[in-house]
Amino acid sequence: MTPHRLFLPVALTIVASHGLPALAQEAPADPGACGAAQVQWLAQDEAGQDVSAAQAALSAQVQVTGSRDTVLAFRATAERQSLRVEARTENGDPAISLLTGDGDVIAENDDTPVSLNSRVETAVGPGIYCVAVRSVGGGDMAATVQVSRPEQPALLNEESESAGSGNQIAACTPDTAATALGEGAMDERLAQGPVSTTQDGTQVGYYRFSLSQPMPVTLRASSPTLDPYLKLFDAQGVLVGENDDADGLNARLDFVSTLAAGDYCIGAASLSGEAGELTITAEKLDPETFLRNAYRKGELNPPADGSYPVQSVDLTRQKQTVVLHDGTAQWLGFDLDQPTVVIVSAYGSLVGADPRLVLFAASGALEAENDDVDGSTNARVGPVLLQPGRYHLGVVDVSRADGAAGPIRPIGLMIERFLRAE
């Protein structure tokens, strides 16, 4: 196909709009902190970034552009510092991840039980940490980000809103009544297979278990009719992680690099508090199985070694294609030999599909993503400026986001590319 031509000033505008906050702060000394290319301090200067010593909560107004994360850094100096990390917006749907200085994810959240805002509560040791904020759906979004200690005022005041709006999972302290998830250390039983229990959706359930040694673990809360969410607490009631809607409406927490030996408590509930069955499951996480499931769900970029199926597309000749979607993420790969602006649109609403697009570079970096555009359930990524290299485009059917195979639904793709004018 004959490519469109793009004037140089337009391309430069696209580059300049990359995820800058509304008020740029002084960058951390290490520009690669938390594995991010662009990082700003959460407060005005590095000296005021210590959440353990700050008299007031660390807070900033940021502008999140498209599918790019805005990453904000802060410090903790206490030996064990309890944190509350929050993001609030009036015009979008923020999701947050709390990262170590090396870029490992400690906790993440998209949507509190009563709103599209996000909140994470956990504890960390001394070091540099980052909050990565992204806009679910890829739209531009202004947001307030705050990191605070538990005794400081919260950014989100949702307790009054949550009254009567469903079940709320309180911290599971040593005094909380909880059911033992089996006898003895659970890692011995997980080696034999998953451990599960059920509860009614009108209740909040708490389940204690112990690990005698570190183990990679997956925790799930699932239901065929309800929208469950899940929290994991340590023995003192400090939040270790929480999730809502990892697998469709089901909740999942993955501890790939092992969950430490110790005592834990799972809190599980339905957002609506309606009658129905919830199943809470713990299982040993197999890294290879985890990765393949992540590829099937469009959560991770598949490897370029051919071990996972990726259909090659030649953008110089192919502008349109149809993906026969069976419920698992379908992957297309293409190569660029020069800087190119790409726009990809996916259409499937007429056949009952709800497409979502994810675009990864060969390095695994997420370049763009989108679900629902122009008030429809169709999707579009771009315009996004891509450098020469290999890219993978994942096509997900959100209505079957658990990765399970099902009836074929055709999803049409329109791919446009624009080259820089000579």
Side-chain angles (χ1 to χ4, degrees):
M1 84 185 183
T2 301
H4 300 277
R5 293 292 174 179
L6 180 69
F7 289 112
L8 182 59
V10 177
L12 290 176
T13 300
I14 295 171
V15 175
S17 67
H18 175 73
L20 293 176
L23 294 174
Q25 311 295 334
E26 179 184 345
D30 180 6
C34 305
Q38 295 183 349
V39 184
Q40 293 81 39
W41 287 108
L42 183 54
Q44 290 294 330
D45 56 70
E46 183 176 354
Q49 296 303 325
D50 183 4
V51 67
S52 303
Q55 294 185 352
L58 306 181
S59 182
Q61 300 283 335
V62 300
Q63 182 69 38
V64 183
T65 304
S67 60
R68 303 285 187 175
D69 289 2
T70 294
V71 184
L72 304 168
F74 66 94
R75 293 181 185 274
T77 55
E79 188 65 27
R80 181 179 177 84
Q81 180 62 64
S82 296
L83 296 178
R84 183 195 301 114
V85 183
E86 302 166 282
R88 182 183 67 193
T89 182
E90 303 296 332
N91 64 339
D93 182 359
I96 58 175
S97 298
L98 178 62
L99 310 172
T100 67
D102 294 328
D104 296 326
V105 177
I106 300 173
E108 53 189 350
N109 178 253
D110 171 29
D111 303 343
T112 71
V114 297
S115 77
L116 295 178
N117 296 315
S118 298
R119 176 173 52 213
V120 163
E121 296 176 78
T122 189
V124 299
I128 288 183
Y129 298 89
C130 291
V131 184
V133 188
R134 67 180 178 88
S135 174
V136 177
D140 292 353
M141 177 187 72
T144 302
V145 180
Q146 178 171 297
V147 177
S148 58
R149 301 190 299 273
E151 69 270 17
Q152 295 172 327
L155 175 67
L156 304 177
N157 184 19
E158 299 181 333
E159 287 75 8
S160 60
E161 300 176 40
S162 64
S165 64
N167 292 324
Q168 305 300 308
I169 302 175
C172 183
T173 68
D175 297 327
T176 301
T179 302
L181 200 61
E183 301 263 343
M186 193 172 68
D187 43 305
E188 300 173 3
R189 285 173 291 127
L190 290 181
Q192 307 300 317
V195 176
S196 64
T197 187
T198 60
Q199 69 178 62
D200 187 76
T202 60
Q203 306 297 317
V204 177
Y206 294 95
Y207 307 93
R208 298 191 191 278
F209 69 91
S210 299
L211 294 177
S212 62
Q213 58 185 349
M215 173 177 281
V217 173
T218 292
L219 304 175
R220 303 178 192 273
S222 58
S223 172
T225 59
L226 302 174
D227 183 358
Y229 72 110
L230 184 68
K231 293 187 178 183
L232 179 65
F233 303 91
D234 68 11
Q236 287 72 47
V238 175
L239 185 67
V240 177
E242 62 181 316
N243 181 257
D244 175 36
D245 298 350
D247 294 332
L249 294 180
N250 294 322
R252 186 186 82 237
L253 284 170
D254 296 304
F255 298 93
V256 180
S257 58
T258 75
L259 188 60
D263 298 325
Y264 296 93
C265 180
I266 299 171
S270 162
L271 287 175
S272 64
E274 299 175 351
E277 185 175 272
L278 263 67
T279 300
I280 294 84
T281 304
E283 60 183 309
K284 182 178 180 181
L285 187 152
D286 175 67
E288 184 175 342
T289 301
F290 172 83
L291 288 174
R292 291 192 68 84
N293 285 336
Y295 304 149
R296 288 166 55 86
K297 296 172 185 177
E299 297 173 342
L300 289 178
N301 183 34
D305 59 7
S307 60
Y308 195 86
V310 177
Q311 176 187 345
S312 292
V313 176
D314 184 354
L315 297 193
T316 64
R317 304 175 58 185
Q318 196 168 358
K319 183 177 180 180
Q320 295 176 304
T321 189
V322 175
V323 171
L324 299 179
H325 209 289
D326 65 356
T328 65
Q330 304 294 298
W331 290 95
L332 289 76
F334 60 89
D335 297 287
L336 299 175
D337 61 3
Q338 59 182 302
T340 306
V341 170
V342 172
I343 303 173
V344 183
S345 302
Y347 304 94
S349 57
L350 291 180
V351 295
D354 182 358
R356 173 174 174 259
L357 296 174
V358 289
L359 180 63
F360 289 92
S363 64
L366 180 65
E367 296 289 344
E369 65 174 327
N370 179 256
D371 173 33
D372 300 344
V373 67
D374 297 335
S376 74
T377 57
N378 295 317
R380 181 187 305 131
V381 294
V384 56
L385 176 61
L386 304 177
Q387 298 302 317
R390 178 73 173 175
Y391 294 87
H392 287 162
L393 175 71
V395 185
V396 181
D397 186 349
V398 175
S399 60
R400 301 184 290 186
D402 59 358
I408 298 296
R409 293 175 179 171
I411 295 179
L413 297 178
M414 173 75 73
I415 305 172
E416 300 176 84
R417 67 188 187 105
F418 300 82
L419 303 182
R420 181 171 297 170
E422 299 296 339

